[in-house]
Amino acid sequence: MAQSRKVTTQQRGRALPRNNSRRMPLFFIILALVILVGIGAIVFLVNQRPKSNVAVVPFTPRAINVPTGTTPEGFAFMGKADAPVTVIEYGDFQCPSCGVFATQQEAVFTQRYVDSGQVRFIYHDFPLPQHANAVNAAAAARAAGEQRKFWQMHELLFARQRLWSESTNVVPLLQSYADALGLDRTAFDQALSSNKFVPVLEAARQQSEQRGVNATPTFEVNGKLVDAGTLEAAVQAALQGK
């Protein structure tokens, strides 16, 4: 009987390694599943990141030394609220003449009149129907404006107007501009893809026409419509109270 119990004890002692050997494959299976799940999660997160197939070209916008924001009507402005003269530009980002003003005259005009506190400058969207990318560009500027970089996008769009204006797939270019300005791409992409600015921009176009604007760029100086060639003279006259 003693021998029988001894054998039984020994057999029971040998049972543990046999059970452990059965559990080891299960351990490795669970480990493998955990690793696969982890890899899958990483791949998912990487794929969720906004992508653009256009190379990002660095851009350094001009420094803005005055208050900026949006009017109650939703138009971007720069300059002091109590400036004696208000200038409104009715502009189209795809308009070549608007591009000429933005790249050749605006910096000097801003430094002379806006930075000095004499003018509050407002950009009023007037996307012309014949310009296929004008609405998308204006929407990109407004999306940047939601991140307080309207004027930086405004400058970039006009600086590279020739590149994007004739594009048949402009959105990737606009996304690369958002990256160049360091915008939150997820928020920027959502603002563009939602098309929430489309009806707002159409309303702005209709308002421009109702105001009597029939070309871009047109400027309104304290309520008087003028063109780019007479803008500075009109501002000087307004400052002198004429």
Side-chain angles (χ1 to χ4, degrees), residues 27-90:
F27 167 78
F28 286 115
I29 291 172
I30 294 173
L31 179 61
L33 288 173
V34 170
I35 293 173
L36 287 174
V37 170
I39 293 173
I42 293 172
V43 171
F44 174 79
L45 290 174
V46 170
N47 288 334
Q48 289 298 105
R49 293 176 182 175
K51 297 179 180 179
S52 174
N53 57 6
V54 178
V56 177
V57 180
F59 181 78
T60 303
R62 298 190 302 267
I64 300 178
N65 304 311
V66 293
T68 62
T70 55
T71 68
E73 297 78 22
F75 299 110
F77 73 82
M78 67 166 73
K80 296 180 179 179
D82 60 353
V85 176
T86 297
V87 174
I88 302 174
E89 177 186 1
Y90 294 87

Side-chain angles (χ1 to χ4, degrees), residues 37-232:
V37 170
I39 293 173
I42 293 172
V43 171
F44 174 79
L45 290 174
V46 170
N47 288 334
Q48 289 298 105
R49 293 176 182 175
K51 297 179 180 179
S52 174
N53 57 6
V54 178
V56 177
V57 180
F59 181 78
T60 303
R62 298 190 302 267
I64 300 178
N65 304 311
V66 293
T68 62
T70 55
T71 68
E73 297 78 22
F75 299 110
F77 73 82
M78 67 166 73
K80 296 180 179 179
D82 60 353
V85 176
T86 297
V87 174
I88 302 174
E89 177 186 1
Y90 294 87
D92 175 324
F93 283 104
Q94 198 172 342
C95 161
S97 296
C98 295
V100 170
F101 173 79
T103 57
Q104 298 182 19
Q105 296 175 248
E106 188 174 299
V108 174
F109 180 86
T110 299
Q111 183 178 18
R112 185 173 298 168
Y113 296 106
V114 180
D115 291 355
S116 64
Q118 299 178 87
V119 167
R120 187 185 192 216
F121 192 84
I122 300 172
Y123 185 83
H124 190 297
D125 297 288
F126 186 17
L128 300 173
Q130 65 265 35
H131 291 156
N133 291 331
V135 170
N136 276 328
R142 288 194 172 227
E146 291 187 332
Q147 300 184 44
R148 299 188 178 185
K149 288 192 176 182
F150 173 90
W151 292 106
Q152 290 83 347
M153 181 64 81
H154 170 280
E155 183 182 349
L156 176 51
L157 286 169
F158 281 123
R160 298 181 183 172
Q161 186 189 66
R162 291 184 179 181
L163 180 62
W164 61 262
S165 61
E166 300 302 323
S167 173
T168 57
N169 185 23
V170 74
V171 171
L173 276 171
L174 299 177
Q175 291 172 331
S176 74
Y177 298 164
D179 289 336
L181 294 176
L183 299 182
D184 180 333
R185 267 290 304 285
T186 299
F188 179 85
D189 290 353
Q190 288 175 347
L192 245 60
S193 62
S194 69
N195 291 322
K196 66 180 182 178
F197 297 119
V198 173
V200 176
L201 292 167
E202 174 58 22
R205 185 186 66 79
Q206 293 178 7
Q207 291 168 5
S208 302
E209 292 178 344
Q210 292 167 3
R211 179 66 185 86
V213 178
N214 54 23
T216 55
T218 294
F219 299 87
E220 185 174 331
V221 180
N222 280 2
K224 297 180 180 179
L225 296 180
V226 300
D227 59 28
T230 58
L231 172 61
E232 190 164 354

